[in-house]
Amino acid sequence: MPSHPLTLPSTLSIRHASAVRDQLLAALAQHDAVEVEFPDGCEADLSLIQLIEAARRHADSHGKRLTLKAAANGRVFDVLERGGFLADMAPAFSQFWLHRKEIQ
């Protein structure tokens, strides 16, 4: 199933979480598969991780698919690391966020 591309804004913080949530939900309402892209050099905080995880679970529960265009890097990767998500990461979480089965 082809994925609908969705490029998020360059500021992905709590102040913009409502708008990003609306973008994600609208894309998932209109498409069976959505591929999210984080802009290079985007600003991110923990709310982004929570929002993407909630959207991924929402998609799964509605028979849809949410993926990332590329593995988390830059500030998004930094947020995962600072938030402690990279330690003892479940395989599904690793596959989704890092596009690999194991942390090297």
Side-chain angles (χ1 to χ4, degrees), residues 19-87:
V20 172
R21 181 201 65 218
D22 292 346
Q23 281 185 288
L24 287 164
L25 289 176
L28 287 167
Q30 296 173 5
H31 305 281
D32 289 333
V34 175
E35 182 180 68
V36 175
E37 180 177 9
F38 304 121
D40 288 338
C42 68
E43 294 179 32
D45 67 15
L46 187 56
S47 68
L48 171 68
I49 308 306
Q50 294 169 324
L51 193 58
I52 295 294
E53 278 299 304
R56 185 167 70 104
R57 290 177 184 188
H58 173 82
D60 286 348
S61 71
H62 288 85
K64 299 188 178 208
R65 185 172 50 106
L66 184 77
T67 58
L68 300 181
K69 181 174 181 177
N73 60 39
R75 291 190 178 164
V76 176
F77 184 86
D78 291 345
V79 170
L80 287 168
E81 188 172 46
R82 282 192 323 266
F85 295 103
L86 300 181

